[in-house]
Amino acid sequence: MSAPAAGAGPPPAAPAPLPTGRGIELVLLAFAAVLVTSALVLVEANQEQELRQVLLWIGLAYLALFAVAHLAVRRFAPYADPLILPCVALLNGLGLVMIHRLDLANAERATAAGRDTPVELISRQVAWTAIGLALFVAVLVVIRDHRTISRYAYTAGFAGLVLLALPGLLPSSISEVNGAKLWIRVGSVGIQPGEFAKILLIVFFAAFLVQKRELFSTAGRRFLGMELPRARDLAPLLVAWGLSVGVLVLERDLGTSLLFFGIVLVLLYVATERVSWMLIGLSFFFGGCIIAYQLFGHVRVRVQVWIDPFADFDNTGYQIAQALFGLGTGGVGGTGLGAGRPDLVPYAESDFMLSSLGEELGLMGLAAILIVYLVLITRGLRSALAVRDSFGKLLATGLAFTLALQTFIVIGGATKLIPLTGLTLPFLSYGGSSLVANYALVAMLLRISNAARAPLPRRPATPLPPLAEAGTELVERRP
């Protein structure tokens, strides 16, 4: 081997490895686009309608929006997990298909009854998708390092509490819809601040638990082989329990209170790795359920409907009973897109999107959708395991678990596993606030995933001096 020439510079540094996943994400997005387009055509065919121009508009809007999202991810988070965005795109697209199918059914019923055709919800949902993806890109551009968010944890916590409590403090004329005070409405436009509050509160609790982790990990007394926390360390759990009950009292919203308390409980368990926190938290939960059942009439009604929806079929039990009939009609294979009657269920496009899909896609279609949710959630949790900092681990866990718990609560309510809560399926159901907030959530997950999958920075090796300038070194020879 020849020696390097005198005066030669240091060897060139090895090029950084290229990000993987560009092609995978693009192929999966194209596959999602083919499925969504085919589903739209099937809906029109089964409704015995001509292929209208609205289908072309929906398809082009869908392709353009997710093409921009793909380019933004590959530009600002090149190492992010390539499966997360396609899963979201497929769920969002299937939601658009079912909303369009319900629009056709509502127009047909209005024509048969001699009423004016109602406003199509599909155009509004596409607009909300565009707003959500705009926020998605903005989060990727503004937040270049997820660790910087922890600096504003207390500000995020305060803002989250304000957004969570604001609808309950406002007059019912601008905040109440169907008995729950969740909205801030100005004219025909309304948002649910609680959807954004959950993300801000996850940021606060993740940063807070990282800072105070040693405090909450301190062992107290032992009981039945478990190390119970000290009484004075229960403050975060008590605060979360109090806030959940407060939301239930002020806003009459069972779903948000259940979701919020579950997130805090899981973050506490992940931060401390102690089962005692889970048992204490579940004890608070069941105690709160008993108190809420005794004190609040709307909670009692939901529990009674859950126990026997057919006892008051024409009134409080009509919605869940019709949803169960729809799921039973769908059976294993479904009636086919456009061939069922999901419009018979009140709020089929939002609260009961699951029953609408279950009737026309059947058990097999619902299983496929649940697998997509499972892939999305597990990839988020995988990012939490792979990221190197504690704040990122807790933040990604909280964000992924939020999607998991919300999906479980909605599916459990629609199938009569648990009482109805009023939450909506992430990305599938009609609704602007939930869709926009969940896109911000996914953008934060992708940012953490990018940090977890990016290669560690390599320090350049110290170059050897030129041979002519190298000093002489005396080395002792071993015997």
Side-chain angles (χ1 to χ4, degrees):
M1 182 181 295
S2 59
L18 294 175
T20 58
R22 292 176 184 268
I24 296 174
E25 184 175 273
L26 187 59
V27 169
L28 291 176
L29 283 173
F31 178 67
V34 170
L35 284 180
V36 171
T37 305
S38 302
L40 285 170
V41 173
L42 281 175
V43 167
E44 294 284 333
N46 283 330
Q47 289 285 304
E48 297 181 357
Q49 298 192 16
E50 297 180 355
L51 297 181
R52 299 179 299 161
Q53 190 176 359
V54 66
L55 291 186
L56 178 62
W57 181 81
I58 295 171
L60 290 178
Y62 179 84
L63 288 174
L65 288 172
F66 284 99
V68 171
H70 168 70
L71 294 175
V73 170
R74 293 304 123 197
R75 171 65 178 84
F76 299 106
Y79 296 97
D81 194 308
L83 298 184
I84 292 178
L85 183 60
C87 289
V88 171
L90 181 57
L91 293 171
N92 197 168
L94 291 176
L96 292 175
V97 170
M98 185 51 62
I99 291 170
H100 175 60
R101 187 263 174 278
L102 291 168
D103 280 339
L104 295 177
N106 292 333
E108 183 181 356
R109 293 178 66 181
T111 302
R115 301 191 305 266
D116 293 335
T117 302
V119 178
E120 290 188 345
L121 299 178
I122 183 66
S123 57
R124 294 183 178 181
Q125 189 71 352
V126 171
W128 282 118
T129 302
I131 296 172
L133 285 172
L135 181 59
F136 172 88
V137 174
V139 170
L140 288 178
V141 173
V142 173
I143 303 176
R144 296 301 183 94
D145 187 346
H146 65 274
R147 293 171 295 183
T148 59
I149 312 175
S150 62
R151 303 173 188 170
Y152 309 99
Y154 287 90
T155 303
F158 176 75
L161 289 177
V162 171
L163 290 177
L164 191 64
L166 189 58
L169 301 175
L170 292 175
S172 299
S173 58
I174 62 175
S175 64
E176 184 172 341
V177 176
N178 297 325
K181 300 184 66 175
L182 305 175
W183 296 83
I184 297 179
R185 304 186 68 89
V186 179
S188 60
V189 180
I191 62 169
Q192 290 183 354
E195 294 289 344
F196 301 92
K198 67 184 181 185
I199 300 177
L200 295 173
L201 291 172
I202 289 171
V203 171
F204 166 71
F205 274 104
F208 179 77
L209 291 173
V210 168
Q211 295 174 4
K212 307 294 183 181
R213 182 175 182 178
E214 296 299 328
L215 177 65
F216 298 120
S217 299
T218 303
R221 296 182 179 180
R222 293 185 63 85
F223 179 73
L224 297 178
M226 295 183 301
E227 294 181 348
L228 299 177
R230 298 175 299 181
R232 60 178 177 270
D233 297 336
L234 295 175
L237 199 57
L238 290 172
V239 170
W241 184 81
L243 288 174
S244 300
V245 174
V247 169
L248 192 61
V249 174
L250 288 176
E251 302 179 3
R252 298 190 288 276
D253 182 23
L254 182 61
T256 300
S257 60
L258 177 60
L259 182 65
F260 176 67
F261 185 75
I263 291 169
V264 175
L265 185 58
V266 167
L267 287 179
L268 270 171
Y269 171 71
V270 173
T272 60
E273 300 180 2
R274 291 171 59 182
V275 180
S276 57
W277 281 105
M278 293 293 293
L279 295 179
I280 294 173
L282 291 175
S283 300
F284 283 171
F285 170 74
F286 288 117
C289 290
I290 294 173
I291 295 173
Y293 181 82
Q294 297 295 330
L295 296 181
F296 308 124
H298 62 283
V299 176
R300 276 198 302 276
V301 170
R302 294 204 174 189
V303 173
Q304 290 165 2
V305 169
W306 169 56
I307 294 173
D308 186 5
F310 300 98
D312 191 10
F313 177 81
D314 294 326
N315 189 14
T316 57
Y318 180 78
Q319 189 179 34
I320 181 64
Q322 287 292 95
L324 293 174
F325 287 145
L327 290 173
T329 302
V332 176
T335 60
L337 283 171
R341 291 301 306 274
D343 54 297
L344 296 178
V345 182
Y347 300 101
E349 72 282 353
S350 54
D351 295 5
F352 280 86
M353 177 60 78
L354 182 84
S355 66
S356 303
L357 292 166
E359 180 176 352
E360 300 203 339
L361 297 180
L363 178 62
M364 292 189 294
L366 283 185
I369 291 173
L370 291 181
I371 289 174
V372 176
Y373 273 117
L374 183 62
V375 172
L376 173 61
I377 293 163
T378 52
R379 300 303 282 197
L381 293 176
R382 181 179 178 181
S383 300
L385 289 173
V387 76
R388 301 172 185 91
D389 63 291
S390 298
F391 172 71
K393 288 181 180 295
L394 281 179
L395 181 59
T397 300
L399 296 174
F401 180 76
T402 299
L403 293 175
L405 183 58
Q406 186 167 344
T407 303
F408 168 77
I409 291 173
V410 175
I411 293 174
T415 56
K416 212 175 88 62
L417 179 65
I418 61 175
L420 290 172
T421 59
L423 293 178
T424 56
L425 274 174
F427 303 107
L428 276 173
S429 297
Y430 173 78
S433 302
S434 175
L435 188 64
V436 173
N438 283 327
Y439 269 115
L441 185 152
V442 168
M444 295 175 68
L445 265 183
L446 286 173
R447 174 56 64 205
I448 298 171
S449 173
N450 181 75
R453 293 163 57 91
L456 291 172
R458 297 180 179 180
R459 295 182 179 180
T462 304
L464 295 174
L467 188 60
E469 301 176 6
T472 303
E473 184 178 357
L474 181 62
V475 179
E476 181 180 357
R477 183 178 180 182
R478 294 183 178 180

